[in-house]
Amino acid sequence: MIKPFRLIPLMLLATYTLATSDIVVTATRTQTSKTDSLSATTVITAKDIQESGAADLTELLKHTPGVIVSSSGSQGSSTSIFLRGMPANKITVLIDGVPAGSATLGTMALNHIPLATIERIEIVRGPVSSLYGANAMAGVIQVFTNKSFNNDKTYSGTIGTTVGNYDTIELRIGSQYHSERINISGNISATHTAGYNSTTQKTGTNSDRDGYNELLASLASSATINSKTKINLAFFQTQNTVEFDSRDFYTGTDIAGGSYTENTIQSGSGEIIFKLNDAVEFNSKIGFYSEESDTTSTTDSLIVTDRLYGHFKSDVEIDDHNILTTGVDLTNEDVSRSSTNYQIEKRGNIGFFSQIQSNQGQFEAIASMRYDDNEAYGDFTTGSIAIGFGDIEQAKLILSYGTAFRAPTVNELYWPNSDPYYHGNPDLKPEKSRNYELTLKGQTELIDWSYTIFRTEITDMIETAYNSDTGISLPENIDKAEISGMETVLGAYLYGFDVNLTSTALQAIDTKTDKHVNGTADITENLSISRSFADVTVKSDFLYDSGRYVDNDNSTLDSYLIVGLELNYHPKESINIGFRVNNVTDKEYFTNRSGTSFMYRNPGRNYKLSLDYSF
């Protein structure tokens, strides 16, 4: 049994330095110095992604503060993500500013966004509904697709490949054109893995390997019209096929033949930035998101979300210390192409938001408010305020309070009454939350640290209730939860070593049952140590999990410590050779199970070799 906080003594020597860029936009919807930000924010850059050796986005995110991931098996399989003890339906996901994810499930399959198309990721922890509306209760994860350009060359490109265990191979190609006014970039990639058996079941077809195939194409461009106007365009499409083990829900018997899901995700946006003068800037964007999941199994199904999005935003520098942001965004969701005949298939939302930022040196403050009006569940108002005192080079104290909400999903609202076991409930209200937070942080040339205490109270939580008289289950606003946590982000550059550590301790309690929320863990910790020698960088990382709560009796899975080793070699500036060993000790560990019948596997010791060349 691994003792909780066994890595804590190292906190006195370590800091979290994964984020190398100092400018963030997600926390305030404006460009803000990460050092000055009053929100808990993590940035993952393209370099971090390339050198991580991660197979997908969820594998990358599980090394960031406050994030835990529960996998249902081999690459591409259904994966749940928690942020500060709250599940994926309480996290807003954006792709280039456009809301992403299924309207029917209320979640985004993050592991289906290929890493090859990602330039940067920003993770904001804490409520941000006062800027982004529904579902930003735990925070926001924004993915920025590839748009960087080599300003030294008119034409440039990259080509790379990765091979590894489970017959895994990935090929990726990118190209760029740069001129004084126009920039264009494109990327394509293909991934295949035969996978491994996703479950501990040994019967029937469930002992086979569960494979994954993926194709990606993306395109981005920017055009500088004049000194005041710029246009940005972005598009990507990914298609994948995921094999999975399955059982008949009613008989419990194995399904003969293969079960698989074919997924297609598309996202695109167009943006115009107009700078009226040095103090006033306008931003307008239109975009779309489309997600199709076509499943062949015991019962075939097609689940489709089509989303249209648009916003208009203005930023006004009132003076050297104050910025006023106002805006409106509109969203329309359509699930009519799904195989399920929902009672209502479309819903629209309009949201108005405003924010004031004030930086007076030793004193900073941000306040924001948003009003949403939704065709499905009515109107909702949220707000937040954060105040910072002190000098970041010594210690800065931040106090914040915010409200947020989660919207009922289409499944919860409008599942057809023809189903003999489950009905939707069009009278559902949004879940709502209040969050209190205290942060103390500091930064010097060699040391960067922060310590945060937070508490979130959630009411009107949606839970499925069974009516014994009718035999029908119905979602209702009948639950509550309280989440209290401590988050530590510490580290330093010491004697040539980069030492990075994060630790999250939390209690997520369902106050109706007085039990821990399923899927959460009391303690999660990440430690990485790296050192560069001329053209070689060597890194080791450690991921500790105290064990997940998995049922109503608060049974827990075993704790585990997973070790990774990584080497990156740059014989030339244009060449990177990476080698990574995951799960060095070949630890058998589990993050998810199906009832009491079987467990979902995670990969044992596995290897990856990658080669990237830029020209």
Side-chain angles (χ1 to χ4, degrees):
M1 180 71 177
I2 302 171
K3 295 181 179 180
F5 290 103
R6 61 177 295 169
L7 302 178
I8 292 300
L10 291 171
M11 289 182 177
L12 299 176
L13 302 175
T15 195
Y16 189 80
T17 56
L18 180 63
T20 58
S21 176
D22 190 49
I23 300 299
V24 295
V25 298
T26 307
T28 62
R29 296 186 76 150
T30 62
Q31 289 194 359
T32 306
S33 165
K34 183 174 179 291
T35 302
D36 294 334
S37 175
L38 300 183
S39 300
T41 304
T42 296
V43 179
I44 302 174
T45 67
K47 183 176 183 292
D48 298 323
I49 295 171
Q50 182 187 57
E51 296 181 353
S52 70
D56 57 40
L57 181 52
T58 52
E59 184 177 333
L60 183 70
L61 290 175
K62 70 183 181 182
H63 293 281
T64 60
V67 174
I68 64 172
V69 174
S70 295
S71 172
S72 297
S74 190
Q75 184 174 349
S77 63
S78 176
T79 301
S80 301
I81 183 171
F82 284 74
L83 179 61
R84 285 190 170 180
M86 288 176 269
N89 60 12
K90 296 176 176 61
I91 304 169
T92 290
V93 177
L94 305 172
I95 299 176
D96 294 322
V98 177
S102 169
T104 59
L105 301 176
T107 60
M108 173 69 204
L110 288 167
N111 55 333
H112 293 169
I113 304 177
L115 293 179
T117 194
I118 300 176
E119 176 182 289
R120 173 187 175 91
I121 306 163
E122 293 183 8
I123 304 107
V124 179
R125 302 182 296 281
V128 208
S129 282
S130 58
L131 288 177
Y132 294 101
N135 306 334
M137 187 179 286
V140 174
I141 298 173
Q142 179 154 207
V143 173
F144 299 88
T145 57
N146 284 321
K147 303 180 195 68
S148 285
F149 304 100
N150 187 336
N151 295 330
D152 297 328
K153 297 181 179 180
T154 302
Y155 298 97
S156 60
T158 60
I159 184 169
T161 184
T162 298
V163 295
N165 294 67
Y166 315 118
D167 302 321
T168 298
I169 183 168
E170 177 185 346
L171 300 173
R172 48 193 177 269
I173 301 173
S175 61
Q176 300 177 355
Y177 167 78
H178 166 72
S179 69
E180 184 178 352
R181 289 184 175 272
I182 297 176
N183 297 285
I184 302 172
S185 70
N187 294 272
I188 59 173
S189 70
T191 302
H192 164 78
T193 179
Y196 55 87
N197 182 20
S198 293
T199 71
T200 55
Q201 294 184 93
K202 300 293 186 181
T203 58
T205 61
N206 287 314
S207 60
D208 66 341
R209 299 167 74 177
D210 299 307
Y212 179 72
N213 295 288
E214 175 186 86
L215 293 173
L216 159 76
S218 66
L219 183 67
S221 66
S222 68
T224 302
I225 307 302
N226 52 47
S227 61
K228 294 184 176 183
T229 308
K230 185 176 181 179
I231 297 176
N232 296 317
L233 301 173
F235 170 81
F236 93 92
Q237 174 176 304
T238 179
Q239 294 178 297
N240 63 64
T241 301
V242 185
E243 298 174 353
F244 61 94
D245 292 339
S246 187
R247 284 184 148 195
D248 186 281
F249 180 78
Y250 301 106
T251 66
T253 57
D254 298 327
I255 295 172
S259 294
Y260 60 91
T261 298
E262 296 175 315
N263 300 291
T264 301
I265 295 175
Q266 293 180 332
S267 181
S269 63
E271 177 184 45
I272 299 176
I273 301 171
F274 176 70
K275 195 171 182 65
L276 181 64
N277 52 47
D278 291 341
V280 180
E281 182 175 287
F282 299 107
N283 179 296
S284 60
K285 175 177 287 191
I286 57 172
F288 74 93
Y289 174 85
S290 177
E291 176 181 306
E292 297 183 20
S293 295
D294 190 355
T295 298
T296 300
S297 189
T298 315
T299 303
D300 296 346
S301 68
L302 176 64
I303 303 172
V304 181
T305 294
D306 292 313
R307 180 179 293 112
L308 296 176
Y309 172 80
H311 82 224
F312 177 81
K313 179 176 72 76
S314 68
D315 299 312
V316 179
E317 292 187 16
I318 300 171
D319 53 38
D320 291 341
H321 305 288
N322 300 282
I323 300 175
L324 175 65
T325 299
T326 57
V328 56
D329 55 35
L330 299 97
T331 307
N332 182 270
E333 296 176 330
D334 185 346
V335 298
S336 60
R337 292 197 292 131
S338 301
S339 57
T340 301
N341 294 316
Y342 291 99
Q343 300 173 45
I344 296 177
E345 297 176 327
K346 298 179 181 180
R347 62 180 181 181
N349 189 93
I350 183 170
F352 301 91
F353 59 90
S354 62
Q355 173 185 255
I356 183 72
Q357 302 178 66
S358 181
N359 189 334
Q360 306 294 330
Q362 295 283 324
F363 173 82
E364 297 176 64
I366 297 179
S368 57
M369 180 171 288
R370 179 179 170 114
Y371 170 80
D372 282 275
D373 188 11
N374 191 282
E375 293 177 339
Y377 50 82
D379 59 353
F380 208 92
T381 301
T382 50
S384 67
I385 185 169
I387 302 173
F389 308 89
D391 185 349
I392 190 67
E393 294 185 358
Q394 298 177 10
K396 177 183 286 188
L397 175 66
I398 302 171
L399 304 173
S400 64
Y401 170 80
T403 60
F405 72 103
R406 176 182 85 83
T409 67
V410 170
N411 280 355
E412 293 167 336
L413 288 166
Y414 304 126
W415 190 263
N417 291 336
S418 57
D419 189 313
Y421 303 103
Y422 180 90
H423 290 178
N425 181 0
D427 296 324
L428 283 174
K429 300 179 294 184
E431 299 181 354
K432 54 188 178 183
S433 70
R434 296 182 296 179
N435 183 80
Y436 310 84
E437 201 160 317
L438 182 150
T439 298
L440 190 64
K441 68 177 184 179
Q443 179 178 313
T444 67
E445 185 176 350
L446 298 178
I447 298 175
D448 185 3
W449 60 273
S450 69
Y451 180 75
T452 300
I453 301 173
F454 59 89
R455 178 178 174 83
T456 303
E457 300 168 354
I458 309 173
T459 57
D460 290 331
M461 286 180 63
I462 299 170
E463 183 180 88
T464 301
Y466 175 72
N467 188 318
S468 58
D469 294 330
T470 63
I472 294 173
S473 296
L474 194 73
E476 297 181 3
N477 296 102
I478 56 175
D479 210 351
K480 299 179 181 180
E482 295 179 353
I483 302 171
S484 300
M486 299 181 295
E487 196 172 77
T488 309
V489 181
L490 298 166
Y493 181 78
L494 295 172
Y495 306 106
F497 289 90
D498 283 308
V499 185
N500 312 295
L501 179 98
T502 67
S503 176
T504 302
L506 65 82
Q507 283 197 327
I509 303 297
D510 183 325
T511 55
K512 179 183 174 183
T513 62
D514 200 29
K515 300 288 187 180
H516 290 267
V517 174
N518 285 339
T520 62
D522 290 340
I523 308 291
T524 53
E525 293 173 331
N526 288 275
L527 170 68
S528 70
I529 304 171
S530 63
R531 179 156 187 177
S532 296
F533 304 89
D535 299 326
V536 177
T537 300
V538 180
K539 176 183 174 183
S540 60
D541 52 69
F542 307 84
L543 171 62
Y544 169 73
D545 189 301
S546 62
R548 314 293 173 82
Y549 294 98
V550 290
D551 58 33
N552 294 332
D553 295 325
N554 266 182
S555 303
T556 59
L557 302 177
D558 290 340
S559 62
Y560 57 84
L561 177 66
I562 303 301
V563 181
L565 293 175
E566 187 178 309
L567 182 148
N568 283 279
Y569 173 49
H570 298 271
K572 294 183 178 180
E573 186 178 352
S574 60
I575 298 175
N576 180 73
I577 301 171
F579 179 71
R580 180 170 175 85
V581 184
N582 292 305
N583 196 357
V584 173
T585 61
D586 200 25
K587 172 75 173 178
E588 183 180 51
Y589 68 103
F590 304 99
T591 59
N592 196 6
R593 79 178 186 188
S594 177
T596 58
S597 56
F598 60 85
M599 310 285 277
Y600 290 103
R601 298 181 185 275
N602 287 284
R605 184 188 301 114
N606 62 94
Y607 311 87
K608 287 185 178 179
L609 176 65
S610 63
L611 171 63
D612 289 278
Y613 173 67
S614 59
F615 54 90

